[in-house]
Amino acid sequence: MKTDTARKNVVGFSEQIGRMEESMYKILKSEVLANNIYLFDVEAPRIAKSCLPGQFVIVKMDEKGERIPLTICDYVRDQGTITIVFQTVGASTMRMAELKAGDSFQDVTGPLGVPSELTTDPLEEVREKKFLFVAGGVGTAPVYPQVKWLHEHGVEADVIVGAKTKDLVILEEQMRSVAGNLYITTDDGSYGRSGMVTDTIKYLVEELGKKYDVCVAIGPMIMMKFTALLTKSLNIPTIVSLNPIMVDGTGMCGACRVTVGEEVKFACVDGPEFDGALVNFDEAMKRQQMYKTEEGRAVLRLQEGPTHHGGCGHCNA
Amino acid sequence: MDVLKKVPVREQEPQVRAKNFEEVCLGYNAEEAVSEANRCINCKNARCIQGCPVAINIPEFIHEVKEGNFAEAAKVIGQSSALPAVCGRVCPQESQCEGRCIRGIKGEPVSIGKLERFVADWAREHHIDTAQPGSSNGKKVAVIGSGPAGLTCAGDLAKAGYEVTIFEALHEPGGVLVYGIPEFRLPKEDVVKPEIENVKKLGVRIETNVIIGKSITIDQLFDEEGYDAVFIGSGAGLPKFMGIPGENANGVFSANEYLTRSNLMKAFDDSYDTPIVAGKKVAVVGGGNVAMDAARTALRLGAEVHIVYRRSEEELPARVEEVHHAKEEGIIFDLLTNPVEILTDENGWVKGMTCIRMELGEPDESGRRRPVPVEGSEFTLDLDTVIMSLGTSPNPLISSTTKGLDVNKYRCIVAQEESGQTSREGVFAGGDAVTGAATVILAMGAGKAAAKGIDEYLSNKS
């Protein structure tokens, strides 16, 4: 029985690849997770076969679209599908938001970047560690596959999900099913705890006396900056995942360069995950603004209110 | 007509072309081509052929042009080259075929490049099909990269009957022909695409969006997908930076990024989503062909553009024709000048660049006179954009994921020149991935040699 399935999958894969030539990258499911946050299941057999948590893809919706880097939120290897989550931030993502199940992306490429260390470190070492994940806003999407991977390998991690308000909490049920303990916090207190993710970290460590060996923080740049600052003072080594401007995603353009310690790294091939204590966040945040023209900011203000991404709790500063 | 001189080629006026992305050189018409072809004295021992990395039978194709048999001429070229319309435009003929031409001893050499271009363009416009696919021998070869090396290798192998698949990392095939060389030197729709289509007509399959080393490894190509041999023609895509203060400021780009945005992503065209910083005052650091391409792109986007180069005009690595075109269009050359620091404003944007004057000292290992800083000669250029064009090196994505594949200290793949054979059995390599950044035609020559090497390897194996 098992052999049959395995053989079927091999045939399936070449069929999937063959199909790609005609049908491009078909969207099998589309879902609105929150205001301006969308989820797609996309047919991408080569990527589904080889990707690991922490990696990302680049999508291009049509001839005139930008190449947009997006983290992989989930994957089903034997079905040849990946799940991507994105937030509308510019012209291309706004057009992408209009795609429906049955439509196709012209291009999806990957997996790009280095997989999360926890997936490549020796399992016995990983199993001895206590993990704390901190997800901010749409950053919940890339955190999910890491927590899920640990869960499937017998490691239960604590997860903090932070959002600006209740409506912007995404993937709650999915996360709850794989997390050891899930702590939700909203800036306005409309759901879960009230306050920023850093308040919850302090609560867990200082009030509940929890000890963590590794913190993985993914979300808006400013959230990662303040999380890394706090965890440094708490002596918790912290990994952050950067999502800077990119064009090719293979190390060719250098648009994604980021200063880590004394070195200049390319987030696309050296990252996207780096030691949060060493990342020069201020430079990285300035570089993210490179193509945000005054006009672009106006569109964002109109659509999202006065904050950039929402959900991190530091935006109003 | 002065037989010592080339028939002049028509070009867009500098003031006009500086504001558009249309092709600069308009090429010969039939009458001009025949007239130029008649300057060829049809040497018995043709030195031009020796100067061509893919050994096109130049006197024979020129002879057909003389007779007005343009379709025949195209077939002669087609025996040796898969990309004649490209090569006629971007080959450095002055140091290859034309550099060896007997006519060049007393006057100007025969304009072989422009004749090749004419023949290729004529054949395309008249739908002359030079593709001759071979009958299948049932063996599979994977070619990594769809640039000049990969396309040439794939084309030759397909002609020999191999089932060839090219894997391309980007969404569009063509490699540097598509992302690197600008539209105004090499039109994409009219020239590059049809030549790639010609390679496909030979039976070559191209799968885009596959990154070897990430999507799939070379070992998997052999073990899981049944390939009998692999050719690596992945180019030299990693940009270099100077390592000076301020280089991560907003408004500092690699030439690769700037050109990829404009060429591959078509950012110069407002109907495309990808943005580009046009800049008002731009410095391009470097003096190669890529620097000229970046400078002339920035100029066309409306900027005042300076080339900042640490040696003198004589040492500029760019082709003379490119430097000449750049000057005609109004690019300012700040020679014997080297950047020291990039200055930024309070928002992290470029506002200027401190440079130091240089003078030439003793020759260095490259044989060129070494530039030495003149003490106390620092000055500041006011700028809003800096484009670093300091060369590129091969991407380690493949070499770092392929066991037993040797690279040298520059991370270039080690391969035998005559066959492309690497340290791994069944794996061949050629082009910039082996040599570091060089020219389109040298990559094509290497692709050709590797196709022969692969054919010999697989013929002996069975």
Side-chain angles (χ1 to χ4, degrees):
Chain A
M1 193 63 193
K2 216 170 182 186
T3 338
D4 268 4
T5 323
R7 197 176 299 136
K8 217 183 266 170
N9 287 343
V10 173
V11 175
F13 184 68
S14 61
E15 269 172 12
Q16 286 161 3
I17 297 290
R19 210 160 58 216
M20 295 310 297
E21 281 173 59
E22 305 124 42
S23 75
M24 303 190 288
Y25 302 84
K26 199 166 175 190
I27 297 167
L28 301 177
K29 185 177 106 179
S30 88
E31 200 181 310
V32 182
L33 295 182
N35 191 19
N36 292 327
I37 303 178
Y38 301 82
L39 176 147
F40 288 160
D41 283 350
V42 184
E43 222 171 39
R46 282 200 188 278
I47 301 170
K49 192 178 174 210
S50 55
C51 67
L52 282 170
Q55 293 188 292
F56 63 99
V57 294
I58 283 188
V59 303
K60 182 170 177 285
M61 70 174 282
D62 57 18
E63 165 66 20
K64 299 199 168 177
E66 280 182 75
R67 289 172 67 95
I68 300 169
L70 296 172
T71 37
I72 300 167
C73 173
D74 206 352
Y75 48 89
V76 185
R77 297 211 197 281
D78 58 9
Q79 287 175 21
T81 61
I82 58 168
T83 303
I84 54 174
V85 171
F86 67 95
Q87 189 162 29
T88 49
V89 286
S92 279
T93 44
M94 282 179 199
R95 290 203 294 118
M96 255 164 62
E98 287 165 19
L99 294 174
K100 296 278 171 286
D103 293 340
S104 290
F105 281 96
Q106 184 176 296
D107 300 285
V108 179
T109 189
L112 297 159
V114 181
S116 303
E117 262 175 31
L118 58 91
T119 67
T120 50
D121 281 350
L123 204 53
E124 55 275 23
E125 283 175 29
V126 173
R127 284 191 173 131
E128 278 172 18
K129 286 181 186 164
K130 191 78 189 126
F131 287 86
L132 173 65
F133 286 86
V134 181
V138 77
T140 309
V143 164
Y144 171 71
Q146 301 198 23
V147 179
K148 182 182 172 189
W149 195 93
L150 286 176
H151 176 72
E152 286 172 349
H153 290 82
V155 183
E156 302 307 318
D158 283 359
V159 180
I160 301 170
V161 170
K164 194 172 153 63
T165 185
K166 186 182 178 187
D167 292 344
L168 292 171
V169 176
I170 60 167
L171 303 170
E172 183 187 347
E173 281 321 303
Q174 289 92 325
M175 194 68 94
R176 197 176 296 284
S177 68
V178 293
N181 297 295
L182 177 64
Y183 305 91
I184 292 177
T185 177
T186 50
D187 299 358
D188 61 1
S190 55
Y191 191 52
R193 294 173 51 82
S194 177
M196 295 176 273
V197 292
T198 43
D199 297 330
T200 304
I201 299 172
K202 275 188 219 155
Y203 163 75
L204 294 178
V205 174
E206 289 170 1
E207 291 186 34
L208 299 189
K210 293 200 174 212
K211 299 223 178 310
Y212 297 104
D213 302 301
V214 185
C215 170
V216 178
I218 310 179
M221 204 76 94
I222 190 120
M223 180 214 92
M224 293 192 283
K225 175 185 167 171
F226 281 102
T227 299
L229 278 173
L230 172 65
T231 52
K232 195 178 177 187
S233 73
L234 297 172
N235 280 320
I236 308 170
T238 296
I239 295 161
V240 297
S241 178
L242 304 181
N243 187 13
I245 292 168
M246 287 182 192
V247 185
D248 62 290
T250 63
M252 228 180 75
C253 78
C256 65
R257 58 196 191 276
V258 52
T259 305
V260 181
E262 298 295 302
E263 284 180 277
V264 176
K265 300 279 191 187
F266 287 4
C268 66
V269 286
D270 301 321
E273 297 189 349
F274 295 105
D275 182 344
L278 299 178
V279 170
N280 183 338
F281 284 105
D282 293 335
E283 178 188 273
M285 280 188 272
K286 278 180 187 158
R287 290 186 61 79
Q288 270 195 331
Q289 301 303 310
M290 189 109 62
Y291 293 97
K292 291 218 167 119
T293 59
E294 278 307 315
E295 194 188 1
R297 287 198 198 97
V299 173
L300 282 181
R301 268 197 296 276
L302 189 72
Q303 297 215 336
E304 298 185 30
T307 66
H308 56 110
H309 277 198
C312 72
H314 292 281
C315 305
N316 297 326
Chain B
M1 195 190 97
D2 186 349
V3 77
L4 293 181
K5 288 207 160 151
K6 291 179 175 182
V7 172
V9 69
R10 288 163 292 117
E11 289 174 348
Q12 272 199 77
E13 287 299 319
Q15 302 86 333
V16 177
R17 69 182 195 237
K19 294 186 179 65
N20 69 44
F21 278 84
E22 308 289 311
E23 197 172 8
V24 169
C25 176
L26 303 174
Y28 285 150
N29 59 28
E31 195 188 330
E32 290 161 341
V34 171
S35 159
E36 178 64 20
N38 275 307
R39 293 183 61 232
C40 175
I41 54 177
N42 210 349
C43 306
K44 269 219 176 67
N45 179 18
R47 306 199 314 170
C48 50
I49 303 178
Q50 297 157 21
C52 175
V54 296
I56 293 172
N57 191 336
I58 293 164
E60 195 182 329
F61 101 73
I62 292 182
H63 173 75
E64 299 293 354
V65 176
K66 276 184 205 173
E67 305 292 319
N69 299 331
F70 305 139
E72 285 306 311
K75 282 177 189 157
V76 173
I77 297 175
Q79 287 162 8
S80 312
S81 173
L83 309 169
V86 170
C87 292
R89 287 169 167 84
V90 302
C91 265
Q93 291 99 5
E94 64 278 5
S95 59
Q96 296 176 351
C97 52
E98 294 182 23
R100 310 276 183 102
C101 178
I102 295 288
R103 274 270 177 225
I105 296 171
K106 260 193 174 164
E108 289 180 352
V110 175
S111 195
I112 301 168
K114 300 289 186 287
L115 287 174
E116 181 186 27
R117 170 188 162 143
F118 165 76
V119 170
D121 287 356
W122 189 93
R124 183 181 63 250
E125 283 153 19
H126 292 80
H127 308 289
I128 305 297
D129 199 357
T130 59
Q132 289 166 319
S135 55
S136 171
N137 64 18
K139 288 176 195 159
K140 283 174 73 177
V141 181
V143 169
I144 306 170
S146 64
L151 287 172
T152 303
C153 186
D156 277 16
L157 287 168
K159 283 187 209 167
Y162 291 92
E163 192 185 308
V164 186
T165 301
I166 301 182
F167 295 100
E168 167 56 47
L170 291 171
H171 59 268
E172 186 85 39
V176 74
L177 307 176
V178 170
Y179 77 75
I181 304 176
E183 187 72 21
F184 55 83
R185 276 213 299 134
L186 188 62
K188 310 300 163 221
E189 278 304 313
D190 295 344
V191 177
V192 178
K193 268 195 185 161
E195 301 231 309
I196 292 171
E197 284 307 315
N198 284 342
V199 174
K200 283 172 146 176
K201 277 186 202 155
L202 293 167
V204 173
R205 224 179 119 249
I206 302 182
E207 197 182 327
T208 52
N209 299 321
V210 181
I211 300 151
I212 304 299
K214 288 284 176 192
S215 314
I216 186 167
T217 62
I218 285 184
D219 287 292
Q220 289 174 306
L221 287 176
F222 283 118
D223 301 340
E224 294 174 20
E225 305 214 353
Y227 287 96
D228 300 296
V230 173
F231 172 74
I232 307 169
S234 51
L238 287 194
K240 289 179 186 150
F241 287 92
M242 291 187 80
I244 57 173
E247 216 170 6
N248 281 359
N250 286 6
V252 183
F253 307 96
S254 71
N256 256 7
E257 178 184 354
Y258 202 75
L259 290 170
T260 300
R261 284 180 182 277
S262 182
N263 301 335
L264 176 72
M265 305 308 296
K266 307 207 185 312
F268 69 87
D269 179 340
D270 279 343
S271 72
Y272 285 74
D273 289 347
T274 300
I276 192 165
V277 171
K280 289 192 174 64
K281 205 168 163 189
V282 177
V284 178
V285 182
N289 287 320
V290 174
M292 299 305 139
D293 286 346
R296 295 169 71 196
T297 297
L299 180 93
R300 281 160 172 76
L301 291 170
E304 174 189 313
V305 186
H306 295 244
I307 289 273
V308 174
Y309 179 59
R310 62 195 183 128
R311 302 179 198 247
S312 72
E313 175 149 4
E314 213 171 294
E315 290 85 19
L316 278 172
R319 290 182 68 195
V320 175
E321 182 180 328
E322 302 308 324
V323 176
H324 171 73
H325 278 152
K327 281 187 175 169
E328 274 186 340
E329 289 166 10
I331 306 281
I332 301 155
F333 282 73
D334 295 331
L335 301 168
L336 290 166
T337 304
N338 205 29
V340 188
E341 182 180 2
I342 292 163
L343 310 169
T344 53
D345 68 14
E346 64 282 5
N347 296 318
W349 273 89
V350 173
K351 67 171 185 184
M353 184 164 76
T354 306
C355 298
I356 191 164
R357 301 272 183 220
M358 309 291 278
E359 59 189 7
L360 294 181
E362 295 301 308
D364 61 16
E365 64 272 22
S366 74
R368 298 178 299 180
R369 291 176 65 192
R370 184 193 299 277
V372 188
V374 178
E375 223 171 289
S377 67
E378 287 90 348
F379 67 101
T380 300
L381 278 172
D382 290 333
L383 302 164
D384 56 23
T385 306
V386 177
I387 300 171
M388 291 293 176
S389 181
L390 309 157
T392 52
S393 59
N395 198 319
L397 278 181
I398 292 174
S399 52
S400 65
T401 55
T402 310
K403 278 200 193 94
L405 186 69
D406 290 350
V407 294
N408 67 19
K409 64 175 171 173
Y410 303 108
R411 294 201 290 207
C412 296
I413 297 168
V414 179
Q416 288 170 21
E417 204 179 323
E418 63 279 8
S419 67
Q421 174 67 55
T422 67
S423 56
R424 242 320 266 279
E425 195 196 331
V427 179
F428 297 74
D432 286 3
V434 169
T435 58
T439 61
V440 168
I441 188 69
L442 284 174
M444 289 175 61
K448 216 173 179 52
K452 209 162 149 261
I454 290 169
D455 186 34
E456 276 166 20
Y457 164 73
L458 290 178
S459 305
N460 292 336
K461 207 179 160 198
S462 52

